[in-house]
């Protein structure tokens, strides 16, 4: 069955770095576009970063220049490299997958994704 398993979250200080990983299985990874979403307490889930099957990336304005999304197709693994973390980055981070192609303008919208992981918590304290 399809599985997306996130790891790498934790509690860190402001200005720290973390790398999240998402191990995918149960589907043909190279045919899917992938993304990271996050949800803070009391807030809606928001798209953070995405990468499509052509390795084209998209980022939310709030994290541009600090976060980088990457993937290793040989390992079926998605990454989110997060630098200069801020308290407002505190959230549960989710990995998501969608099949085929999607308009770049929709890559950070939840509706385009069919598979979701359980999430990994990132807490940034000052």
């Amino acid at each position: 069955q399809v599985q997306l398993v996130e790891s790498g979250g934790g509690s860190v200080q402001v200005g720290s770095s973390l790398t999240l990983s998402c191990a995918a299985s149960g589907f043909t990874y190279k045919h899917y576009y992938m993304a990271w979403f996050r949800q803070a307490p009391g807030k809606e889930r928001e798209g953070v970063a995405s990468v499509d099957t052509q390795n084209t990336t998209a980022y939310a304005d709030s994290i541009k220049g600090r976060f980088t999304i990457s993937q290793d197709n040989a390992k079926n693994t998605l990454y989110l490299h997060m630098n200069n973390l801020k308290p407002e980055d505190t959230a549960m981070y989710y990995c998501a997958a969608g099949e085929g192609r999607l308009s770049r303008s929709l890559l950070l919208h939840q509706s385009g994704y069919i598979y979701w992981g359980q999430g990994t918590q990132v807490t940034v304290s000052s």
Side-chain angles (χ1 to χ4, degrees), residues 1-79:
Q1 73 277 22
V2 172
Q3 280 194 311
L4 295 174
V5 180
E6 302 95 335
S7 62
S11 296
V12 297
Q13 298 290 314
V14 167
S16 298
S17 298
L18 277 177
T19 294
L20 306 183
S21 300
C22 171
S25 61
F27 61 96
T28 307
Y29 183 87
K30 64 180 180 180
H31 293 162
Y32 283 69
Y33 49 90
M34 303 292 295
W36 289 97
F37 288 79
R38 68 185 182 185
Q39 188 167 20
K43 294 189 176 181
E44 293 188 358
R45 190 173 298 187
E46 62 172 349
V48 175
S50 67
V51 57
D52 68 12
T53 57
Q54 307 300 311
N55 268 330
T56 300
T57 57
Y59 293 95
D61 288 342
S62 60
I63 57 85
K64 276 183 182 176
R66 299 188 297 122
F67 292 9
T68 303
I69 190 170
S70 65
Q71 60 185 351
D72 185 336
N73 284 358
K75 295 182 179 180
N76 291 355
T77 301
L78 180 73
Y79 302 99

